[in-house]
Amino acid sequence: MTETHCPYCSLQCGMRLTGRRSPEVSAWEEFPVNEGGLCRKGWNAAGLYNNRDRLTTPLVRDRATGEFRPVSWDEALDTIAEKLTALKAEHGPDSVAVFGGGGLTNEKAYQLGKFARVALGTSQIDYNGRWCMSSAASAGTRAFGLDRGLPFPLKDLEQTDVAVLVGSNLAETMPPAARHLDALRERGGTVVVIDPRRTATADRADVVLQPVPGTDLALALGVLHLLVAGGHVDEQYVADRTTGFEDVRRSVASWWPERVERVTGVPAAEVRAIAQLLGSARKVMVLTARGAEQHSQGSDTVLAWINVALALGQCGTTYGGYGCLTGQGNGQGGREHGQKADQLPGYRMIDDPAAREHVAGVWGVPPESLPGKGRSAYELLDALGTEAGPKAMLVFGSNIVVSAPNASHVTRRLESLDLLVVADIVLSETAAIADVVLPVTQWAEETGTMTNLEGRVILRRRAITPPSGVRSDLEVLQGLAKRLDSPIPFETDPEEIFAELGLATRGGKADYSGITYARIAEEMGVFWPCPVSTGSTTEDGSTNEKHPGTPRMFLEEFATPDGRARFHAVEHRGAAEQPDADYPVHLTTGRVLAQYQSGAQTRRVRDLPDTGAFVEMHPMLAGRIGAADGATVRVTTRRGTMTAPARVVDTIRPDTVFVPFHWVGANRLTNDALDPASRMPEFKVCAAAVTT
Ligand code: SF4
């Protein structure tokens, strides 16, 4: 029996696995995050083991026939290395790109960033986490000086008085976490859900607001306007712990409730009621998720809600404040260790000379050999195969063909490459168009750390034996680095890599240097930042007192140079694409309980229902276009079209349709307009036409 964690979302629920060849999942009650609870995906996590779709042999596309043929690992890696070497010689190192994922372990994310910068020498690396919570990360960094999704343990939710969930469907995306909402309500607290759809989470709430998609920012401005007008701003806190409020006070002056109603569709009386609720509460917790963040104004939307939490004097106090509910399994750690275009490990910025020197020192290379900033995820994909863009790309842990916005365009860019390499466990839609496919180990077949949505670093242990023929991503990187004549060797032992990661992050914002595999196992997770020692002197004169980790951040001060949080005055711009005569409704996308992300894993698990995509719409809209429940309808946007059965429900706004994104189709429709700060695409809203 092995204690490990679920392969899917950022809650990283603890579970036990028994049986090395035919694994079975059972509850791990002692693990504090989920206390034995799992969602349907977690209970069926072992369903991918022994799956008939599992890849066990490298594949190379035969140029003559266009078909894949099985090859040896040596042939596959030699083929890749020869092509990359030739491209680099002809076009320079930036002709090769690397695309990572928010589901990769910390060790893989770290090693991937190092591989790109040192073995390939390319600046062209980014990852699909850019599409997950980068708007919240950007806003958190600007407001608090540091981004950690939740700066407090999730269980703190139970002790607040009012929890406001903006664009989060917690009950469906991470069901074991929803028990905290129930516990809060049992204590007499209030749950507010803000979402264009009345979701399963809304069913567990006391107050539900259903704004027009893309208007959460305007709603926040209106709430703050009323808090100011009602004298609910914690002026002492604002004076002691923040800067920039006067600009914000002025900027919300014109957002009176009737104007908010016109923009958001939320009745003015409901805006007044929520402001009154927040203004009179002792403790308020504001949590955002993708619904608020995946917009071309996503980072400003998060800043607007942070402004609300700061004005109420909540951030950096116990049981109050702001947090982001990260999505992917390692959405947090994945953004800290160097697979992002502008970052080095430990949340260090790649254009900071001191950061380059520190990390280069750990890697044993000259700082000047490290490339600079690359392109963000969508900009990178958009440049593939163009005159100035990369000619080859290596993809790890991402199914871009399904998950990228404006996916038909992105697929054409992938197809235009001289070389596309995909490392995956199954022939995903992206692997299916690759030139070389590398079969790699999955989740419980390998050991590594993940950092959950609370900033808790946890240990996923190897529990089952991988099928023969597959290799870990770490072995793939080692094999390629050797063939590319990397100036430094690449290790494959995850624990050794984690120790090196600790050194690379030492002194950085996300400092992991005091965390070891042994500590994680003993303490059931360690919260970063966790430096090697507290720096204080113990009674026996030793200065090496073990740092306990940091479950709650900002209690003393924020991570800005002066220790104060920053207000930012932001304005509502609206979605990049507004409905018009040709495309009269809003399209929004999201997840369903039984599936995860692009579905490459969960769609293959027999015991998880694979319903296929559907188009959720209100009876009024269905009546207007003559659609019956279950009948096929067509959704068209300026970028593409798809058909799926209508699902007619009265829980969605009449001006909005919803399509889940786990199947090919939804992202052919979505808009690639980017947030100027985070470079997050506008997945969550665009203009669409729905016809029968
Ligand atoms: S998918 Fe998320 S909520 Fe469900 S069991 Fe896995 S980690 Fe827990």
Side-chain angles (χ1 to χ4, degrees):
M1 184 271 295
T2 308
E3 284 166 348
T4 189
H5 296 269
C6 174
Y8 302 120
C9 86
S10 65
L11 202 56
Q12 283 299 292
C13 293
M15 59 170 61
R16 293 195 166 102
L17 276 180
T18 42
R20 292 190 79 76
R21 302 219 163 262
S22 182
E24 282 188 17
V25 173
S26 61
W28 177 10
E29 287 93 352
E30 297 80 11
F31 187 70
V33 176
N34 57 311
E35 297 173 337
L38 296 169
C39 78
R40 196 169 185 176
K41 297 186 286 290
W43 287 118
N44 289 291
L48 254 189
Y49 196 69
N50 294 328
N51 189 287
R52 65 177 181 179
D53 285 353
R54 187 70 191 276
L55 296 171
T56 55
T57 307
L59 304 171
V60 170
R61 192 175 297 282
D62 189 313
R63 290 265 161 186
T65 65
E67 301 295 320
F68 282 126
R69 69 184 166 84
V71 298
S72 68
W73 271 99
D74 276 341
E75 184 177 344
L77 296 179
D78 287 347
T79 303
I80 298 166
E82 276 166 28
K83 188 72 187 171
L84 295 185
T85 303
L87 284 171
K88 279 176 64 181
E90 192 179 346
H91 303 286
D94 278 358
S95 62
V96 181
V98 176
F99 201 88
L104 300 177
T105 61
N106 289 318
E107 292 78 357
K108 291 182 188 180
Y110 170 80
Q111 205 75 335
L112 200 59
K114 178 170 138 181
F115 174 82
R117 273 65 175 244
V118 178
L120 292 170
T122 182
S123 67
Q124 301 298 296
I125 174 169
D126 213 68
Y127 78 125
N128 65 19
R130 177 79 69 172
W131 303 337
C132 185
M133 56 330 93
S134 61
S135 288
S138 160
T141 303
R142 288 167 70 193
F144 308 128
L146 176 59
D147 145 56
R148 195 182 84 185
L150 292 180
F152 38 71
L154 189 58
K155 199 172 169 55
D156 279 7
L157 192 49
E158 299 178 8
Q159 302 299 325
T160 196
D161 294 326
V162 179
V164 183
L165 273 65
V166 194
S168 165
N169 186 7
L170 194 73
E172 277 193 271
T173 54
M174 48 181 76
R179 75 187 192 284
H180 300 306
L181 299 181
D182 299 340
L184 166 62
R185 295 177 76 199
E186 275 164 29
R187 266 191 56 248
T190 305
V191 175
V192 179
V193 166
I194 299 171
D195 196 312
R197 303 164 64 219
R198 198 182 167 94
T199 61
T201 310
D203 290 343
R204 301 166 96 135
D206 304 281
V207 180
V208 180
L209 305 184
Q210 290 187 262
V212 171
T215 64
D216 294 324
L217 198 166
L219 185 58
L221 297 176
V223 168
L224 188 49
H225 168 96
L226 288 166
L227 292 175
V228 171
H232 295 300
V233 173
D234 185 338
E235 301 286 354
Q236 192 63 52
Y237 171 96
V238 167
D240 292 346
R241 299 203 58 187
T242 73
T243 63
F245 183 59
E246 288 315 312
D247 282 349
V248 170
R249 199 195 296 267
R250 276 192 295 277
S251 72
V252 299
S254 62
W255 282 94
W256 53 90
E258 287 70 22
R259 181 181 176 199
V260 175
E261 176 175 334
R262 277 201 303 281
V263 174
T264 67
V266 176
E270 293 183 16
V271 182
R272 287 194 176 90
I274 183 178
Q276 183 59 35
L277 177 68
L278 298 186
S280 56
R282 200 178 47 88
K283 286 287 167 190
V284 174
M285 203 175 266
V286 179
L287 303 175
T288 65
R290 306 304 82 69
E293 300 160 11
Q294 289 179 320
H295 293 274
S296 59
Q297 56 175 8
S299 51
D300 281 355
T301 300
V302 175
L303 283 170
W305 283 102
I306 289 175
N307 287 345
V308 169
L310 284 173
L312 289 167
Q314 298 293 326
C315 300
T317 70
T318 45
Y319 309 133
Y322 164 79
C324 153
L325 296 161
T326 301
Q328 293 195 78
N330 201 24
Q332 183 66 50
R335 67 193 195 244
E336 298 161 2
H337 299 305
Q339 58 176 335
K340 217 171 159 209
D342 54 355
Q343 285 181 0
L344 291 170
Y347 254 145
R348 289 182 156 96
M349 301 311 292
I350 202 162
D351 53 5
D352 171 3
R356 293 169 67 87
E357 191 168 336
H358 174 84
V359 174
V362 173
W363 289 351
V365 297
E368 59 277 13
S369 70
L370 300 179
K373 256 187 207 177
R375 295 176 170 95
S376 75
Y378 185 78
E379 289 161 303
L380 175 59
L381 298 177
D382 192 34
L384 295 178
T386 62
E387 187 66 28
K391 317 281 182 237
M393 187 159 79
L394 314 180
V395 180
F396 293 83
S398 191
N399 188 7
I400 298 165
V401 167
V402 180
S403 60
N406 196 3
S408 299
H409 169 70
V410 168
T411 303
R412 285 192 292 275
R413 298 263 48 89
L414 290 168
E415 287 169 341
S416 73
L417 286 168
D418 291 1
L419 178 71
L420 174 62
V421 179
V422 175
D424 211 327
I425 61 173
V426 293
L427 198 67
S428 69
E429 287 78 1
T430 310
I433 61 165
D435 300 292
V436 183
V437 180
L438 303 174
V440 289
T441 45
Q442 64 167 324
W443 157 68
E445 296 163 0
E446 55 191 10
T447 293
T449 61
M450 306 282 280
T451 305
N452 84 347
L453 77 172
E454 311 165 285
R456 186 193 305 253
V457 184
I458 54 102
L459 182 60
R460 267 195 198 167
R461 298 169 206 262
R462 175 173 158 145
I464 47 186
T465 311
S468 68
V470 305
R471 292 188 182 176
S472 75
D473 292 314
L474 298 173
E475 290 169 319
V476 170
L477 296 178
Q478 183 190 53
L480 285 175
K482 206 181 284 176
R483 286 167 173 82
L484 291 164
D485 293 327
S486 166
I488 54 170
F490 279 71
E491 303 301 328
T492 58
D493 178 66
E495 193 165 1
E496 275 179 37
I497 295 169
F498 188 75
E500 185 187 303
L501 178 156
L503 294 177
T505 64
R506 189 170 184 169
K509 286 183 171 175
D511 190 334
Y512 280 46
S513 60
I515 308 177
T516 62
Y517 275 23
R519 269 194 74 176
I520 299 173
E522 196 180 312
E523 299 170 31
M524 295 205 202
V526 180
F527 290 84
W528 71 261
C530 182
V532 171
S533 75
T534 59
S536 56
T537 309
T538 57
E539 278 177 13
D540 65 3
S542 161
T543 55
N544 215 16
E545 192 184 346
K546 189 171 86 173
H547 192 286
T550 315
R552 294 184 182 83
M553 302 181 75
F554 314 136
L555 294 180
E556 303 289 322
E557 58 178 11
F558 294 95
T560 53
D562 60 8
R564 290 164 174 266
R566 305 277 188 269
F567 278 96
H568 289 267
V570 290
E571 262 307 322
H572 174 71
R573 301 187 296 277
E577 205 173 71
Q578 297 292 337
D580 57 20
D582 295 331
Y583 301 99
V585 300
H586 303 279
L587 166 70
T588 190
T589 62
R591 285 163 54 181
V592 298
L593 174 61
Q595 297 293 328
Y596 182 68
Q597 305 300 64
S598 81
Q601 294 153 283
T602 48
R603 281 187 274 127
R604 291 177 165 87
V605 175
R606 204 186 47 221
D607 292 329
L608 292 176
D610 182 359
T611 58
F614 54 87
V615 183
E616 190 178 286
M617 67 178 73
H618 193 275
M620 281 166 61
L621 177 59
R624 203 159 68 232
I625 66 169
D629 189 44
T632 300
V633 293
R634 176 176 295 277
V635 186
T636 308
T637 69
R638 289 182 175 83
R639 291 153 296 281
T641 188
M642 67 172 284
T643 56
R647 191 172 283 186
V648 181
V649 296
D650 62 5
T651 47
I652 190 168
R653 291 181 57 88
D655 57 6
T656 302
V657 294
F658 166 84
V659 180
F661 58 56
H662 310 291
W663 296 271
V664 173
N667 277 318
R668 288 183 179 158
L669 310 179
T670 49
N671 194 353
D672 53 13
L674 300 182
D675 180 287
S678 67
R679 318 310 285 166
M680 165 75 84
E682 191 148 68
F683 284 102
K684 277 293 184 278
V685 62
C686 64
V690 189
T691 52
T692 51

